[in-house]
Amino acid sequence: MIKINDLRTLFEHLKRESQIVGLKKDGSRYFYQVIDLYDDWESSVLLGNFSPKEVFFPQDEVLFYFKAQKTILPKDEVKPNVLWGVRPCDIAGIGELERMFNQEGEEGYKDPYFIQRFDKTLIVGLACTEPWPSCFCTSVEGSPYKSEGADIFIYPTEDGYLIETPSKKGEAAIEGLDVEEVGDVSQLEVDRRRAESKIKKYEFGSVTGGIADKLKQMIDSSFWDSIHSACIGCGTCAFVCPSCHCFDVSDASRGARGLRSRQWDSCLYEGYTLETSGHNPRPSGSQRWRQRLNHKFNYFVEVFGMYQCLGCGRCGRACPVNINIAEIAAKAISWE
């Protein structure tokens, strides 16, 4: 563990080789954008309105162009990025995107667009010393001090910043930085407990039991009819979620020329599962909410051994009708 007194030093050091992408104010909202100056970084804002998933998985992107019988890949150059000041829940979201878009094994799905961006990005995480009231990461096996998935992780302290480098990419990135080695980091445990004590705790149980097992028994439950009526199906929750990764693919053409692109999609859209025949296996809001909650707390657990919800609370804050997925999950746990 090393210590620095001013984060500006680390920022300028990393900026020498890569562009920095961090939270920047845009009107009244905050998004991950390229920031040229350290002072443009919104260091006091915990989470952006959108997560940083767009750095790796853009909301709308061209997959390829076609002309007659030929396909042409986009020529956009992917620049080395430093994703700066990312919170542990969003880092966990990036890790879940990697599990989906860069699957293990020869037959696992490998998305070249995602992988290229991921490989060229250095993730710099930042511990949450003051979580928001809407945060519930500790309910889904997260922590405001969890460094897993980061290349460099920053812990604010009373008199500076402690820096951890969980990956070799992170170790290489700080070479040449003037730092002070620190032996005693016991205060971090105290700080971690203090931060976690401020987070609202839901009792979902472990990923090997708890809510996942309960949801398996609720496929035909009247519970789903009781929770969906307020939802207007706008899809905002999926778009702001750091781990939602569904997309649609569309072609646009004129004559023999055209392009194929993909756009973010949402399982709460009525047409999400609509088939060409006109059949829709999930035509009702209750069925779509059953799918969403099961995907977050049951199906993803079954495949990857972890919740797909990271407890960032963005969906609840962004929802125009104040639906909170944590409250719904807690209601499912106690449903008779």
Side-chain angles (χ1 to χ4, degrees), residues 238-256:
F239 278 39
V240 301
C241 175
S243 61
C244 278
H245 50 265
C246 291
F247 59 84
D248 196 5
V249 174
S250 59
D251 290 348
S253 64
R254 175 173 292 178

Side-chain angles (χ1 to χ4, degrees), residues 101-164:
F101 289 130
N102 189 14
Q103 296 178 3
E104 295 179 351
E106 292 184 3
E107 296 184 358
Y109 173 65
K110 300 187 187 306
D111 187 294
Y113 307 93
F114 173 88
I115 292 172
Q116 184 177 207
R117 296 187 183 100
F118 184 80
D119 287 346
K120 289 196 171 186
T121 300
L122 182 84
I123 299 173
V124 180
L126 178 60
C128 308
T129 55
E130 299 293 338
W132 284 347
S134 54
C135 296
F136 59 95
C137 65
T138 53
S139 303
V140 287
E141 303 197 333
S143 168
Y145 271 58
K146 194 171 186 176
S147 63
E148 183 180 337
D151 296 303
I152 298 173
F153 198 79
I154 303 166
Y155 301 94
T157 64
E158 287 186 353
D159 58 349
Y161 301 90
L162 291 176
I163 309 293
E164 179 186 2

Side-chain angles (χ1 to χ4, degrees), residues 46-279:
L46 196 73
L47 297 171
N49 292 81
F50 277 61
S51 80
K53 74 177 175 185
E54 197 164 15
V55 173
F56 308 95
F57 172 42
Q59 188 169 344
D60 186 353
E61 71 175 323
V62 175
L63 301 178
F64 59 81
Y65 300 92
F66 54 85
K67 179 181 179 182
Q69 301 301 315
K70 295 182 179 178
T71 57
I72 306 161
L73 294 175
K75 294 181 180 178
D76 298 340
E77 181 186 1
V78 177
K79 296 180 179 178
N81 278 323
V82 170
L83 190 54
W84 175 264
V86 190
R87 304 297 178 167
C89 53
D90 280 343
I91 296 173
I94 295 167
E96 295 200 352
L97 292 179
E98 189 195 10
R99 284 177 178 80
M100 290 303 304
F101 289 130
N102 189 14
Q103 296 178 3
E104 295 179 351
E106 292 184 3
E107 296 184 358
Y109 173 65
K110 300 187 187 306
D111 187 294
Y113 307 93
F114 173 88
I115 292 172
Q116 184 177 207
R117 296 187 183 100
F118 184 80
D119 287 346
K120 289 196 171 186
T121 300
L122 182 84
I123 299 173
V124 180
L126 178 60
C128 308
T129 55
E130 299 293 338
W132 284 347
S134 54
C135 296
F136 59 95
C137 65
T138 53
S139 303
V140 287
E141 303 197 333
S143 168
Y145 271 58
K146 194 171 186 176
S147 63
E148 183 180 337
D151 296 303
I152 298 173
F153 198 79
I154 303 166
Y155 301 94
T157 64
E158 287 186 353
D159 58 349
Y161 301 90
L162 291 176
I163 309 293
E164 179 186 2
T165 50
S167 77
K168 291 184 178 178
K169 190 158 60 169
E171 290 178 8
I174 65 166
E175 283 185 3
L177 187 67
D178 185 18
V179 296
E180 171 190 348
E181 294 284 345
V182 177
D184 181 8
V185 294
S186 56
Q187 182 60 35
L188 283 185
E189 180 62 15
V190 177
D191 294 343
R192 179 186 67 79
R193 290 178 183 172
R194 174 183 166 276
E196 289 185 352
S197 70
K198 296 183 176 183
I199 296 175
K200 188 170 184 178
K201 184 71 177 174
Y202 296 90
E203 299 299 333
F204 298 148
S206 71
V207 292
T208 56
I211 188 171
D213 282 351
K214 183 67 182 287
L215 290 174
K216 286 183 177 70
Q217 303 165 18
M218 294 177 64
I219 296 299
D220 297 320
S221 170
S222 58
F223 172 77
W224 308 110
D225 292 326
S226 72
I227 62 162
H228 78 92
S229 57
C231 178
I232 58 175
C234 66
T236 298
C237 50
F239 278 39
V240 301
C241 175
S243 61
C244 278
H245 50 265
C246 291
F247 59 84
D248 196 5
V249 174
S250 59
D251 290 348
S253 64
R254 175 173 292 178
R257 299 184 177 189
L259 62 83
R260 176 164 295 176
S261 62
R262 66 179 173 188
Q263 299 79 31
W264 290 356
D265 207 344
S266 169
C267 59
L268 289 178
Y269 289 158
E270 186 175 355
Y272 178 74
T273 51
L274 180 63
E275 300 170 4
T276 307
S277 64
H279 172 64

Side-chain angles (χ1 to χ4, degrees), residues 203-204 211 223 293 297 324-334:
E203 299 299 333
F204 298 148
I211 188 171
F223 172 77
L293 204 65
F297 293 94
N324 183 325
I325 194 170
E327 298 289 349
I328 290 177
K331 188 176 178 181
I333 283 282
S334 59

Side-chain angles (χ1 to χ4, degrees), residues 22-42:
L23 273 184
K24 188 174 180 181
K25 192 171 185 179
D26 186 350
S28 60
R29 302 193 295 173
Y30 301 89
F31 299 95
Y32 281 91
Q33 302 177 52
V34 174
I35 46 179
D36 296 321
L37 302 173
Y38 178 83
D39 290 335
D40 289 339
W41 172 45
E42 295 289 346

